[in-house]
Amino acid sequence: MERRSPVSGLDPSEIQVETRGPVPAGSADEARETVAALTALAHEPVLYARVKLGVSADPAVSRPCVAQANLDVNGRLVRAQAVGEHMHQAIRLLEGRLRVRLRRTSRDWEDLRGRYPLDVDQEWRRSSPPRHPLPYFPRSPGERQVVRHKAYELAWATPDEAAFDMEQLDYDFHLFREVDTGQDSVIYRSGEGYRLAQVSPRPDGLGPVSVPLTVSTAPAPVHTLEEATARLETSGLPFVFFADRRTGRGNVVYHRYDGHYGLITPSG
């Protein structure tokens, strides 16, 4: 039986829905009802919830429907996203991902911040099902371009905090500034644990880490955006972490679900 939260969830009318493209009639209401029901699983009040539904106009994309939910759980962002062949499928997949994230919100975060010993059961991590990166459309390299550029002030965090944020936000990687070394860093899943890469690696400068973590000793490659996207294509990797040739700051270029590229850069 699903454990209910001591706080009440949102009403469907309180869920904001944005649509892009030919979203089927009724999908917005389905998304509202789905997300509203899940907000009762959060351990703290959900202050805000927004759902984005989109349908790609490209007939070659095999899973053109995208459903994304962004929730403010008492000041902390929880995010989930899924793609599907049709919108009902995307919403059902979104429901599964969001359910996992809302089962473990603020109380698990406080446990992590408290730096409990290494033998503490890290339920916040093990409660997630195996994470498979979202597939992306194999668009011809000559057609690919950066269609989304997100710039923000990188959060200062420990590897433990960055790993938690990555799981809560449903990301495949997370760009942040490591608090003990001051380095622009990226954390991502690797095997049964996590892998950390830094612009100028300082593994000896890291503080205590609770999550299973390996640290790359190779400096981030120095690239222009054009060089980084070329490396992304030749490497076969889902993303490339690199030091911008002009600024020296850590950037990430990655494959989007639609076969184009996304770019994440520090804002300052």
Side-chain angles (χ1 to χ4, degrees):
M1 178 180 295
E2 191 73 75
R3 183 163 60 105
R4 302 291 288 182
S5 167
V7 298
S8 59
L10 297 180
D11 185 85
S13 63
E14 299 177 88
I15 310 296
Q16 296 189 20
V17 178
E18 299 177 9
T19 62
R20 175 175 50 83
V23 175
S27 293
D29 288 339
E30 180 185 4
R32 284 192 183 93
E33 294 171 2
T34 298
V35 173
L38 290 175
T39 59
L41 302 180
H43 298 303
E44 292 187 291
V46 177
L47 306 179
Y48 173 82
R50 181 179 62 184
V51 177
K52 296 181 180 180
L53 305 178
V55 178
S56 172
D58 190 337
V61 178
S62 61
R63 302 187 196 186
C65 298
V66 182
Q68 180 189 110
N70 294 275
L71 278 63
D72 180 340
V73 182
N74 204 26
R76 188 155 191 85
L77 178 64
V78 176
R79 175 185 180 274
Q81 177 173 301
V83 298
E85 296 178 3
H86 49 79
M87 188 55 71
H88 175 72
Q89 181 186 58
I91 293 172
R92 294 278 71 80
L93 293 172
L94 174 69
E95 178 184 22
R97 292 193 178 202
L98 188 58
R99 181 183 301 275
V100 169
R101 281 155 184 80
L102 287 175
R103 281 173 174 166
R104 48 164 174 78
T105 48
S106 60
R107 290 191 298 182
D108 298 316
W109 169 245
E110 293 304 323
D111 288 347
L112 183 60
R113 288 178 61 89
R115 290 293 192 284
Y116 287 175
L118 292 176
D119 59 353
V120 170
D121 178 15
Q122 296 177 17
E123 182 181 356
W124 66 269
R125 180 170 180 271
R126 294 204 289 233
S127 62
S128 294
R131 177 71 162 88
H132 301 289
L134 294 174
Y136 61 87
F137 176 64
R139 189 179 299 278
S140 169
E143 300 177 356
R144 297 174 185 173
Q145 56 184 312
V146 175
V147 297
R148 185 180 187 192
H149 178 193
K150 182 177 181 180
Y152 62 93
E153 184 177 354
L154 300 188
W156 289 78
T158 66
D160 285 345
E161 292 166 339
F164 182 86
D165 286 342
M166 183 179 72
E167 297 292 349
Q168 286 294 91
L169 296 171
D170 196 24
Y171 291 160
D172 293 313
F173 58 84
H174 184 43
L175 182 65
F176 69 105
R177 198 157 193 179
E178 205 284 319
V179 70
D180 290 309
T181 63
Q183 290 290 311
D184 290 348
S185 308
V186 68
I187 194 167
Y188 55 98
R189 299 172 190 83
S190 177
E192 295 300 314
Y194 299 93
R195 180 81 167 167
L196 179 74
Q198 299 185 294
V199 168
S200 297
R202 293 183 54 199
D204 294 339
L206 298 175
V209 177
S210 297
V211 297
L213 181 76
T214 59
V215 182
S216 172
T217 58
V222 179
H223 288 320
T224 63
L225 177 57
E226 292 73 18
E227 292 167 339
T229 54
R231 185 186 184 98
L232 182 64
E233 290 301 331
T234 58
S235 68
L237 297 172
F239 70 90
V240 165
F241 173 60
F242 66 101
D244 182 79
R245 189 176 295 281
R246 181 177 58 86
T247 66
R249 298 296 303 276
N251 288 210
V252 176
V253 63
Y254 62 95
H255 286 289
R256 287 169 43 91
Y257 76 94
D258 58 6
H260 288 297
Y261 304 124
L263 175 67
I264 300 177
T265 64
S267 62

